[in-house]
Amino acid sequence: MFFEKHVFCCVNKRPYTNPKGCCSFKNSENLQIELKIKIKNLKLNKKIRINKAGCLDRCDLGPVLVIYPEGVWYTFKNLEDIDEILNSHLLNDKIVERLRI
């Protein structure tokens, strides 16, 4: 089985002392879980896959996610951002320019 869209959400965790920081300390893990739950509740989990990813090397812009096959990168900070990415891009193929990296 193949997915129509594949979302990779950075949940990388570094030590607090690392100057680069990490997406995990910016709530990426909880937001990734929420996006996965929303996709499952919409019964789209057979078409859209939400995955955890290690470091995507955009730490200063994080948390970040990338959607394939389009290869569109987003920064997201809260549930409102996740909802906008879900409703605009994942459901309607409309890129959310304000969150695009």
Side-chain angles (χ1 to χ4, degrees):
M1 173 173 67
F2 294 96
F3 300 101
E4 292 175 16
K5 295 191 186 297
H6 211 133
V7 181
F8 294 93
C9 301
C10 180
V11 296
N12 190 54
K13 187 180 285 188
R14 289 195 174 93
Y16 283 106
T17 55
N18 189 308
K20 199 168 185 179
C22 65
C23 289
S24 181
F25 295 150
K26 298 174 185 174
N27 202 30
S28 66
E29 293 176 85
N30 291 330
L31 293 168
Q32 184 269 340
I33 290 167
E34 287 297 321
L35 181 56
K36 190 169 187 158
I37 289 168
K38 288 173 185 284
I39 290 295
K40 188 171 184 176
N41 288 343
L42 291 168
K43 299 186 182 344
L44 294 171
N45 52 316
K46 301 291 184 195
K47 293 183 178 185
I48 301 172
R49 177 78 174 173
I50 310 298
N51 274 96
K52 294 178 183 177
C55 184
L56 295 174
D57 205 26
R58 303 276 176 108
C59 310
D60 56 325
L61 301 172
V64 298
L65 63 80
V66 60
I67 300 173
Y68 288 105
E70 299 93 331
V72 175
W73 290 74
Y74 289 110
T75 184
F76 58 97
K77 308 287 186 221
N78 51 47
L79 289 174
E80 291 79 17
D81 291 346
I82 289 295
D83 285 342
E84 189 170 357
I85 292 168
L86 170 63
N87 292 318
S88 292
H89 191 133
L90 295 174
L91 299 181
N92 294 300
D93 294 317
K94 182 179 177 195
I95 293 174
V96 182
E97 291 298 337
R98 74 174 189 86
L99 300 173
R100 189 174 188 181
I101 297 175

